[in-house]
Structure formats: C-alpha cells, structure tokens
Amino acid sequence: MNDKQYVRAIVRRIRCGGKKKKEIRKQLLADIDLRVRQGESIETVISGMGSIAEVADSFNETILPKEQKQYSRNRRLKIIVPVVLILICLVSFIYWLFPKGRDIADSKIFDQAQVEEAMKHTIELLDARDYASLQKNAALQMQSVLNDETLSKARNNISDNWGERKQFGTAYIAELVQGNAHYAVGEITVSYENVSVTYRLTYNQNMQFAGIYIR
C-alpha cells in the first residue's frame, strides 16, 4: 500500500465534512513525505503511524459530536437521494408502459368512422371464414391465430350454431396508448339468428388487425 492509498483509506473513515477531510489528507501526506525525506521507508512510516482504523479513530475523537452527526446525516442523504431518484424514474417508466385509454374523438392517429368500418369488415371476413384476406391486413403476431382451427374453437365456445348474421349493434371505440404504441380498441355486439356475440377488436396505428376477443 502506498502513501496515497493509506491516507485515502483513513480519510474515508473520518466522520467530518469535506473541507476538514481535505485538510487532514493534506496534513497526513505532508507528515509521511517529511519522514520519507528524512530517510524512513514508506513501509516503516505506515507501520509506525498505526493501522487505518487506529489513525481514523484518533481523528474522530477530536471531532465535535455535532459535526459527526451532520456527517452521518449527509452520508445518509447521499444514499437516500439516488435511491429516491431511481424509484421516481422506475415509477415513471412503469406509468409510461402502463396502457392508458383516451377518447377516440381526441385521437390524432385514428378516425372513429374508419375504425368502425374496419371492425365491421373484419367481422364480415370472420363470418365468411376468409382467413387469407384477414391475414393480409393483420399484424405479424396475429397471422398465426387467423385460421379455421383456432377461430372455430372460439366460435364453438359460444355456440355451435350461430345462424346467419342479422345486424350490427353500436360500436364503442377508444384509443389505447402503451409506451410509444397506439391502438384503436373497439367493442361491438352483433346479432345472429341464434346468438348475440360481442367482439372486441384491436387495430394498431397502421390500422392492421392486431387483436380479437369474442364472448
């Protein structure tokens, strides 16, 4: 261990403000340098001065309790403040990621009439089981879902005989914002001969079909 490492380790243990620590550091280095110039080796000087803990304790005994309390308070703040800032950043990031709904009428991306028309067209294609056409305008993650096996199971969970479509109900549409992504999410109830089905359909900001839920 050289003189700078030795002194740095001592000063780190002393419970006082930064200004006084600089003075102590300067004093210790000067004392060591003087003894080295008088012919002592650095090892002999450090051994003679005592262990890091012993030297630090001797300085702490001369520091007023009030100043030591202030040092401890400042040290806690140095730990607490970064932790609080990290927590604030984390909460802000989670909030940014958490989906937030907006009125579709206030959207700068989606047109309500266009989304409603897309919903009805999607349902018509689903009723016609025209999965090829659905896949052409679907987001990548949806394409593997748009097949007869998957969607027939979903239909049969409601009824195995829907009958012909009779009419569309009112469409309720909102914009969903998650991070930088925007989605139009709409619900519409459709009457069939033997059952009424509620569709929840999702479109991304490129108006690609991006999600489906039926009940």
Side-chain angles (χ1 to χ4, degrees), residues 7-205:
V7 170
R8 188 184 302 116
I10 291 170
V11 171
R12 192 179 294 122
R13 288 170 173 256
I14 300 173
R15 297 187 291 273
C16 64
K19 185 177 180 181
K20 181 168 287 188
K21 283 192 174 191
K22 287 181 181 178
E23 293 173 357
I24 293 172
R25 183 185 295 110
K26 186 176 180 181
Q27 175 191 331
L28 286 170
L29 287 172
D31 291 345
I32 293 171
D33 181 63
L34 177 62
R35 292 176 63 176
V36 169
R37 282 191 281 114
Q38 288 175 346
E40 295 183 63
S41 69
I42 187 66
E43 291 80 10
T44 301
V45 174
I46 289 175
S47 177
M49 290 178 67
S51 70
I52 291 168
E54 288 172 342
V55 179
D57 288 344
S58 67
F59 277 104
N60 284 328
E61 289 174 2
T62 68
I63 297 170
L64 295 174
K66 182 179 179 181
E67 187 172 356
Q68 293 196 39
K69 286 181 181 178
Q70 182 63 43
Y71 166 79
S72 298
R73 190 179 301 114
N74 291 341
R75 189 176 180 184
R76 285 195 297 271
L77 284 173
K78 286 180 179 179
I79 297 171
I80 293 170
V81 170
V83 171
V84 170
L85 289 175
I86 290 170
L87 287 174
I88 290 171
C89 291
L90 182 60
V91 169
S92 299
F93 180 66
I94 292 172
Y95 175 78
W96 180 73
L97 286 178
F98 194 77
K100 294 171 282 294
R102 296 179 182 174
D103 192 326
I104 195 70
D106 298 328
S107 176
K108 297 180 180 179
I109 295 175
F110 300 104
D111 176 78
Q112 184 169 355
Q114 182 186 13
V115 175
E116 183 173 351
E117 186 62 32
M119 291 171 64
K120 291 178 179 178
H121 182 59
T122 297
I123 292 167
E124 288 169 352
L125 292 176
L126 287 167
D127 287 343
R129 301 178 188 265
D130 187 354
Y131 304 119
S133 296
L134 284 167
Q135 289 176 2
K136 286 180 182 178
N137 193 42
L140 185 62
Q141 72 273 14
M142 276 294 296
Q143 292 177 9
S144 61
V145 177
L146 298 174
N147 58 71
D148 188 63
E149 180 182 1
T150 302
L151 292 172
S152 289
K153 287 181 181 178
R155 291 171 65 93
N156 291 336
N157 284 336
I158 298 171
S159 172
D160 58 3
N161 183 15
W162 289 18
E164 294 298 318
R165 185 179 65 252
K166 296 172 63 178
Q167 65 179 22
F168 292 102
T170 303
Y172 300 93
I173 306 168
E175 180 179 20
L176 193 68
V177 182
Q178 185 172 20
N180 289 326
H182 294 250
Y183 300 91
V185 181
E187 278 200 4
I188 187 169
T189 298
V190 182
S191 298
Y192 294 84
E193 288 179 329
N194 303 319
V195 69
S196 289
V197 179
T198 298
Y199 292 83
R200 181 182 298 161
L201 305 175
T202 302
Y203 300 86
N204 63 23
Q205 54 203 59

